[in-house]
Amino acid sequence: PGDHSVGLTGLSANCQLEGENPRQVAVTAAAATAVAFSIACEQPQASVGTLELSTATNGPNPDPNGYAFTIDGGDAQPIGVSATESVANLAAGAHTVTLAEASANCTIEGESSRSFTVPSGGTVSVAYTITCAASTGSLSVTTVTAGSPADPDGYTVRVDDGAPRTLGPGATVTIGELAPGAHTVLLGDLEANCTVQENPLEVTVAAAQTVSATFNVTCTATTGSLTVTITGLPDGTAAAVTVVSPNNFSQGVTETETLSDLQPGLYEVTVDEVTSGGTTYSATPPNRTVTVAAGATATATVSYGRPAAPSLNLLIDGLHLTQSTQTPEGDVPLVDGRDAYLRVFVLSNEASSATPEVRVRVYVRGDLRSTLRVPARGSSAPTSKDESRLGSSWNVRIPGSLVGPGLSVLADVDPENTIAERNEADNDFPASGTPQAVVVRTAPALGVRFVPVRQRANDLQGDVSAANKSRFLESARRMFPLPGSESDVHAVYTTTTSDPLQADDGNGAWFTVLNEIDALRVAEGTSRNYYGVVRIGYPSGLSGMGYLGLPTAIGYDDELDRSRVMAHELGHNWDREHSPCGNPGGVDSRYPYPGGLIGVYGLDVPSEELKAPSVPDIMGYCRDPWISDYTYRAVLDYRGAGSAASAMAAREQLCLLVWGRIVDGRPVLEPAFEVVTRPTLPKETGPYSVEGLTDDGARLFGFTFDAAEVADDPRRTRHFAFAVPLSQGDAARLGSLRLTAPGAQAAAVRPRVAQPSGAAAPDSIVARRIAGGVALQWNASAHPMIMVRDAATGEVLSFARGGTAQVATGSGEVDLVVSDRVRSRHMRVAR
Ligand SMILES: [Zn+2]
């Protein structure tokens, strides 16, 4: 008994004893004393270890983003492709590690899941070896080239945007390291003559595989060949052949040979003579042209032979120059200064393929002025003369500047003697070698004043203007012997004849207007031809009318026919009667060709259109005429005499315009007018006479004349218009006029009303302005006619009849010459 100390030992670290230790206890005798210790123990700590995991990757294409591992199916953790990761605090004992996320091209050696045991407090290692195979594919590109020539420097091939690689024709190249998937393969550097069936090609590359792509290239030939075959020469004799092309290719050939790599085109094969053993060999023909095509072989066979003496002979069977018509003899004269067309007729004595050149030498007064070369127009020289085709002659235009007096022409065929002939000495024309003289005449140019005519009866006005006047002259210029023409347009002339123009001139309006235009011409005193242009209101009938031998005519304005009609009427003015075609009146009995045809070949030089001898003459009434040599010569004779201009030398002075006509044998005297102009008097005496008398019967003037015939006038009227010089005093004394015609009663005119001095009051004439002209009103019984003139130009605007007239004019003032039939009064009125 007594006190004791009791302690407890041997506790694990994780156990805790509550209360004191040791502790004091009192033991009592015979009693048991209890001591209680309370112990709390925590769970004892488990034992752990470490895993050392490593990867080692082999091969050309390692996984780009590494792998992942899991332990015992836990969370994935990354690990590099060749790396070591330590995982600590793994409970000691058995575990499993799994490696994953390797790329498809990578293979893990052994199992991907492996067991391992972690030793408590220790380390265990697990190592993976991974092999990564290639991840790209390859492309094998092949070119297959067909045709020729192949592209000599090969091609380039390019995949996507990669660098181009060269590749020969018919070659293969392999391009590696291409990512799997679609790629574009482009073939480049193709020659222009080569094409590819499909370019670029689309290919799909698979990893670790080689895919093929083939380009089918087709090249076409750009050059050709020519085989020249030589025959007919003795062995060992070199031929003399030259092959020439326009692009500076030239090569001699001495024996049969094939020339290759020739540019396509025409090749001239020229064969020169070869002499061997004293014999001359030549080929026929000596020249030929061969066409070389790309990819083909052309042939030319040169057959040499011993030439026979040539039988061919060329000569010139005449030549002529024409300006619109010409006889086979070439005796129609030309006119000075106008283009002429030369035809040289070359003949061959036999059919041949000879195409000789003609040389023409043009001389003026013996001086050589021009040498012209005329190549053959046909394929060979004709064997007979044929005027009917321009292509059968050697033709050249001789400019008007060379056509004049003293012209002569010398022609020779084959001047360089390039064609072998039996006779080389007969190639000149003329054969004497002396140039052939050509008759060239001078003629005055044609001057025309067109007068647009307005009819009061129907307001129709002929359409002629500065813009279209040359159209009227076209036929005349082409047909007639005119060196040139010049024209102007007069102010509008208003005719106050009461009836409109009729198809058969039954009312005489046509010839009345013609007579007025002639009086107008005489009043105006120029040397021009006057041509009144009318418009007709009927579909067919009279279309023109003109004087024989006087320069006045009228014609219609029909666009398709105006030029023919004007040429026809000009022919009349130049004293030509009708040619017998189309049944005209007043036929020329001396016309030489039956049916009024032109009889010889004509030529329209500007258009180079040949006119057959069966074409009708311009002086008939038939369609589409041309001019005969007969009409042409007659006009040239008439105009060459200068008849038109000769009367115009006189100076202007006071004259009396006396005019009128003989209709159906009856004389008609129109009212006379005092005008200041150049005198116009008859050139010849004749059966008609005009006299001017005083009131006492004294004769102030008088003359006989032959009135001009009007062609195309069904009634064959004759007209006259004269400007008779008269002194002022005689004019004042003039009392009457008298016109006599054989077998008819004389026409005498006196003032219609006996008029004491000053009785005709000027205010009896009323003028007022109207649109486009002036309207006049007057006492027609006192003054049967008023001549209305433009005050500024003096142009006659109307011979107004009948007491009222509306005269077209744009002028501000007009002069009136008021006739009482014999005497005139002058007034100026403002519009
Ligand atoms: Zn006629």
Side-chain angles (χ1 to χ4, degrees):
D3 289 343
H4 297 277
S5 179
V6 180
L8 194 66
T9 60
L11 287 173
S12 294
N14 62 323
C15 294
Q16 212 79 61
L17 177 68
E18 291 176 6
E20 289 175 26
N21 186 26
R23 84 180 59 149
Q24 297 299 315
V25 293
V27 179
T28 49
T33 305
V35 178
F37 285 91
S38 181
I39 301 147
C41 287
E42 293 175 0
Q43 183 80 14
Q45 201 133 21
S47 65
V48 295
T50 299
L51 168 65
E52 211 167 72
L53 184 65
S54 62
T55 59
T57 301
N58 307 313
N61 285 89
D63 191 312
N65 56 358
Y67 314 119
F69 65 93
T70 56
I71 296 176
D72 300 333
D75 293 338
Q77 299 173 61
I79 184 167
V81 294
S82 291
T84 301
E85 296 285 341
S86 288
V87 184
N89 292 320
L90 285 174
H95 295 276
T96 300
V97 62
T98 302
L99 189 67
E101 293 186 17
S103 298
N105 62 313
C106 297
T107 307
I108 300 167
E109 291 178 12
E111 296 296 321
S112 59
S113 292
R114 296 184 191 173
S115 299
F116 63 94
T117 303
V118 176
S120 180
T123 298
V124 61
S125 294
V126 175
Y128 283 97
T129 299
I130 305 99
T131 302
C132 293
S135 64
T136 59
S138 297
L139 171 65
S140 168
V141 180
T142 303
T143 60
V144 177
T145 303
S148 70
D151 195 320
D153 63 354
Y155 317 112
T156 61
V157 63
R158 183 175 182 185
V159 179
D160 300 330
D161 296 328
R165 300 173 59 164
T166 59
L167 176 59
T172 300
V173 67
T174 300
I175 301 164
E177 295 190 20
L178 295 175
H183 293 277
T184 301
V185 189
L186 178 72
L187 194 69
D189 197 22
L190 285 162
E191 291 295 312
N193 64 309
C194 298
T195 55
V196 188
Q197 212 170 31
E198 187 184 351
N199 189 26
L201 290 169
E202 298 295 334
V203 296
T204 302
V205 170
Q209 291 185 19
T210 299
V211 64
S212 296
T214 300
F215 287 101
N216 289 304
V217 181
T218 305
C219 299
T220 52
T222 56
T223 62
S225 302
L226 170 62
T227 298
V228 180
T229 304
I230 313 269
T231 65
L233 287 179
D235 287 349
T237 302
V241 176
T242 310
V243 178
V244 176
S245 82
N247 50 356
N248 289 330
F249 175 90
S250 177
Q251 186 163 335
V253 175
T254 58
E255 57 188 5
T256 297
E257 184 182 350
T258 296
L259 309 177
S260 52
D261 287 335
L262 300 180
Q263 294 294 316
L266 292 178
Y267 284 73
E268 184 85 11
V269 179
T270 306
V271 185
D272 288 329
E273 289 177 349
V274 171
T275 301
S276 174
T279 301
T280 298
Y281 297 85
S282 63
T284 307
N287 303 298
R288 72 209 74 190
T289 303
V290 181
T291 301
V292 172
T297 300
T299 59
T301 299
V302 174
S303 303
Y304 276 98
R306 302 178 189 203
S311 60
L312 176 69
N313 197 40
L314 300 170
L315 51 78
I316 295 175
D317 186 37
L319 58 82
H320 66 231
L321 284 124
T322 178
Q323 287 171 330
S324 68
T325 179
Q326 190 54 274
T327 60
E329 298 74 36
D331 58 4
V332 175
L334 305 182
V335 292
D336 194 3
R338 182 171 156 182
D339 284 3
Y341 191 83
L342 172 67
R343 297 187 71 182
V344 178
F345 294 91
V346 173
L347 293 188
S348 171
N349 65 324
E350 61 187 26
S352 77
S353 58
T355 55
E357 182 185 59
V358 165
R359 174 174 58 182
V360 174
R361 282 170 282 184
V362 181
Y363 299 83
V364 177
R365 297 196 173 85
D367 293 334
L368 178 62
R369 296 287 297 277
S370 182
T371 300
L372 304 164
R373 300 276 177 166
V374 192
R377 289 185 61 167
S379 56
S380 62
T383 54
S384 62
K385 188 172 179 177
D386 179 8
E387 261 198 283
S388 71
R389 292 185 309 113
L390 288 181
S392 72
S393 55
W394 277 243
N395 312 323
V396 66
R397 206 179 286 213
I398 308 290
S401 57
L402 294 176
V403 178
L407 177 67
S408 59
V409 176
L410 178 62
D412 54 340
V413 61
D414 190 27
E416 321 300 347
N417 288 333
T418 57
I419 297 167
E421 293 179 66
R422 193 178 61 208
N423 182 356
E424 299 284 6
D426 65 352
N427 289 5
D428 282 359
F429 188 89
S432 63
T434 303
Q436 169 160 300
V438 179
V439 177
V440 179
R441 303 237 310 244
T442 57
L446 171 62
V448 173
R449 179 156 296 158
F450 288 100
V451 185
V453 175
R454 183 179 182 83
Q455 300 178 60
R456 178 175 73 173
N458 55 14
D459 279 342
L460 293 180
Q461 181 176 318
D463 175 22
V464 61
S465 63
N468 70 6
K469 64 190 171 88
S470 66
R471 300 289 183 189
F472 284 81
L473 282 163
E474 221 158 69
S475 295
R477 272 201 309 257
R478 288 168 183 241
M479 294 181 193
F480 286 118
L482 302 173
S485 65
E486 178 268 315
S487 62
D488 59 18
V489 180
H490 190 278
V492 173
Y493 175 78
T494 301
T495 180
T496 60
T497 52
S498 53
D499 295 324
L501 299 176
Q502 291 179 348
D504 61 354
D505 202 26
N507 60 8
W510 268 98
F511 67 67
T512 305
V513 173
L514 176 65
N515 202 178
E516 288 176 10
I517 298 297
D518 195 42
L520 174 156
R521 176 184 65 83
V522 170
E524 293 181 357
T526 75
S527 60
R528 289 171 179 275
N529 278 63
Y530 272 56
Y531 193 74
V533 177
V534 300
R535 172 159 294 186
I536 61 174
Y538 47 84
S540 69
L542 262 179
S543 56
M545 195 176 269
Y547 294 113
L548 285 168
L550 270 185
T552 302
I554 55 179
Y556 73 168
D557 62 359
D558 182 277
E559 281 184 21
L560 299 177
D561 201 32
R562 58 195 174 190
S563 165
R564 178 196 68 85
V565 168
M566 183 169 185
H568 179 97
E569 301 305 337
L570 283 170
H572 288 316
N573 290 169
W574 294 323
D575 216 19
R576 288 296 86 219
E577 294 178 299
H578 283 135
S579 306
C581 188
N583 198 27
V587 167
D588 180 355
S589 60
R590 288 164 301 179
Y591 193 80
Y593 303 113
L597 308 180
I598 62 175
V600 299
Y601 281 96
L603 184 78
D604 182 14
V605 173
S607 68
E608 297 188 3
E609 185 188 341
L610 196 65
K611 307 288 184 179
S614 57
V615 168
D617 181 64
I618 182 66
M619 293 316 296
Y621 280 173
C622 293
R623 289 164 57 97
D624 298 326
W626 192 247
I627 192 169
S628 63
D629 63 313
Y630 174 80
T631 300
Y632 181 100
R633 284 183 222 256
V635 168
L636 186 58
D637 286 346
Y638 182 89
R639 299 196 76 244
S643 59
S646 61
M648 289 301 160
R651 62 175 180 81
E652 292 189 344
Q653 55 192 285
L654 180 64
C655 292
L656 190 69
L657 174 65
V658 182
W659 58 299
R661 52 197 170 269
I662 291 87
V663 180
D664 305 330
R666 190 172 51 83
V668 176
L669 197 53
E670 292 277 24
F673 292 94
E674 283 177 18
V675 291
V676 175
T677 188
R678 295 187 179 87
T680 301
L681 287 168
K683 293 184 201 73
E684 295 168 354
T685 60
Y688 306 97
S689 70
V690 161
E691 288 176 297
L693 306 169
T694 67
D695 286 337
D696 307 335
R699 188 170 134 136
L700 295 175
F701 63 83
F703 49 83
T704 71
F705 63 96
D706 195 1
E709 276 185 70
V710 181
D712 307 314
D713 175 4
R715 289 159 76 177
R716 311 297 297 167
T717 58
R718 289 174 173 265
H719 298 183
F720 63 93
F722 300 116
V724 184
L726 200 62
S727 69
Q728 199 79 52
D730 284 355
R733 294 170 58 209
L734 188 62
S736 64
L737 295 168
R738 183 179 161 87
L739 167 65
T740 58
Q745 191 171 2
V749 293
R750 295 189 171 78
R752 191 168 276 180
V753 179
Q755 301 208 4
S757 176
D763 61 359
S764 68
I765 297 168
V766 178
R768 83 194 142 78
R769 178 199 294 261
I770 56 169
V774 60
L776 302 175
Q777 193 164 7
W778 72 98
N779 178 0
S781 65
H783 305 294
M785 191 180 284
I786 296 177
M787 179 165 69
V788 185
R789 307 186 79 159
D790 183 319
T793 65
E795 289 174 302
V796 176
L797 306 176
S798 185
F799 289 103
R801 308 168 193 265
T804 61
Q806 297 190 345
V807 177
T809 179
S811 183
E813 288 183 316
V814 293
D815 283 334
L816 306 182
V817 186
V818 184
S819 175
D820 66 4
R821 292 195 162 197
V822 176
R823 289 188 292 259
S824 300
R825 174 189 314 282
H826 298 268
M827 293 176 60
R828 172 162 293 188
V829 298
R831 271 182 67 211

